[in-house]
Every structure is written in structure tokens, then in C-alpha cells.
Amino acid sequence: SFLGCVSVVGCFFITKTSTKGKENIPKKGPYILTPNHISLLDPFVLHSKHNRLTTYLMAEDLDDLGWKELWIPWLYGVLLVNRRKLKPSTIKATQKQVEKKEPICIFPEGTSLGEGLGPLKGGAAYFAIKNKIPIIPIALSGTETIAPKLKKLQRARVQVCFGAPILPTAEDSPKTVTKEIEKALKKMLPEKYQ
């Protein structure tokens, strides 16, 4: 896609990105991507390595940020989510994307607060169990250094690692599947990001 090309070219100039596990990405959707979240540039980097039309779920309170911070995720298609209480309209809109057989990206931490992995929320697990679709855990590292490095006209070292698919069953609980996502992310992430 055009946006994918822009991401690839942009990432080439501002990052040195290494990728692992692309063979773990299903050939077609629907499926759910669950990356850790350390920077508002995460969708930009992720899209450069996952060049498919993807809907990103984004917290409603981030909508107050300036255009500089938000133009990247808005390019790709965003669904706003209330982090405290999932609204029926959000569930319906997300379900519609699943029925279109499109990938959905849900940052399970719900926010980008720093390097360490925060507590994961159960939204991704809920949709995966409900629709019997795979979850692809993704470990991102180095994206928080892109902006500071760019100011010095340097390229940031970034890594994107796609983990093995998690295949929930109807018998699984969101809590159990969320624990599996956490375990997979910790296994792939460098120590300081765990």
C-alpha cells in the first residue's frame, strides 16, 4: 500500500531496523497484533514491517495530543477506545473490522509509559477468543530513541520481532490468554524492556 511504502522509506532514512519472525505473520486476516508500546512512533515502525491495511485501537485521551504526535496513527485508521470502560460502540466497530478479515493492532498495555512492560489489559484476548482468531505478539525495542536521535541527525537502532501465533480456544479465558501474550512478549524483549 501507499502508506506502507511511505513507512518503509521513512524508516529506512530515520532508523536501522532489524526484523525477526516475519514468517509468523498469517498470510491473510483476520488476526490481532499485540505489540508492547514504548513510543507514539510504534505504529509507524510496525507498519513498515507489516505492510497491510491495519486498524489501530488508540486511547481516547490521546486524541488531545497535537498533530505532530498523532498524524502517524491517524494515517493508518484508528478506533478510539476508552481505557477505563470498553464501550459497546467500540466493540461493534472492532468486530466489523474482524468481519472484514482485516488485521487489528491492539497495544495491550493501553499506553506508552516507558521502556518496561506494563500490566496488560484483556481486550486483545477477548476479541481473539470471541472470533477464534490468532494473536501475533510483537516485541518492539528502540522506538523511543527515534526522536532524540533524529534531532542529532542520527539513525536509531530499532528491532521488530514477530512472535509465534497464539491460538485461543473457546474454553480459554481472557485472563489466561493475556498471560500468554505477556509471557511471549517477555521472552522476545531485551531485558530492559521487560
Side-chain angles (χ1 to χ4, degrees):
S1 71
F2 172 73
L3 292 175
C5 291
V6 170
S7 297
V8 169
V9 172
C11 274
F12 175 78
F13 284 111
I14 67 172
T15 71
K16 294 176 184 174
T17 306
S18 61
T19 312
K20 292 180 182 174
K22 280 193 90 169
E23 68 279 2
N24 289 321
I25 303 171
K27 295 213 173 353
K28 35 187 184 172
Y31 51 89
I32 299 174
L33 304 171
T34 57
N36 60 307
H37 201 9
I38 47 179
S39 165
L40 288 167
L41 293 172
D42 290 342
F44 174 68
V45 172
L46 179 54
H47 204 74
S48 75
K49 299 301 173 185
H50 176 261
N51 189 3
R52 296 185 194 173
L53 191 62
T54 303
T55 297
Y56 291 82
L57 267 63
M58 186 177 82
E60 279 180 340
D61 51 335
L62 292 184
D63 195 33
D64 296 331
L65 294 174
W67 67 270
K68 289 181 193 170
E69 294 88 356
L70 282 180
W71 70 272
I72 290 165
W74 278 115
L75 280 176
Y76 301 120
V78 165
L79 283 175
L80 292 177
V81 178
N82 185 315
R83 287 191 277 201
R84 289 170 194 84
K85 189 180 178 189
L86 201 58
K87 294 178 182 172
S89 58
T90 305
I91 295 171
K92 203 177 283 185
T94 305
Q95 192 59 35
K96 196 179 279 187
Q97 296 308 111
V98 170
E99 285 161 14
K100 284 184 187 174
K101 303 198 180 303
E102 289 181 6
I104 295 167
C105 181
I106 299 175
F107 292 95
E109 293 164 276
T111 186
S112 53
L113 282 177
E115 291 176 353
L117 190 66
L120 307 190
K121 301 184 189 311
Y126 167 81
F127 285 111
I129 294 166
K130 178 178 167 64
N131 294 285
K132 301 184 183 118
I133 58 176
I135 293 169
I136 312 300
I138 303 169
L140 299 173
S141 55
T143 54
E144 81 288 1
T145 67
I146 295 173
K149 289 273 188 185
L150 195 56
K151 286 177 186 172
K152 298 175 185 175
L153 300 177
Q154 296 172 344
R155 291 165 74 196
R157 290 188 180 277
V158 172
Q159 186 171 75
V160 181
C161 187
F162 296 90
I166 295 168
L167 305 166
T169 66
E171 288 73 43
D172 288 325
S173 71
K175 189 176 180 181
T176 306
V177 174
T178 302
K179 279 281 179 200
E180 280 189 62
I181 297 169
E182 182 181 33
K183 188 177 170 186
L185 288 174
K186 285 186 172 177
K187 188 177 174 183
M188 293 187 290
L189 284 166
E191 194 173 339
K192 77 170 188 172
Y193 293 94
Q194 292 179 13

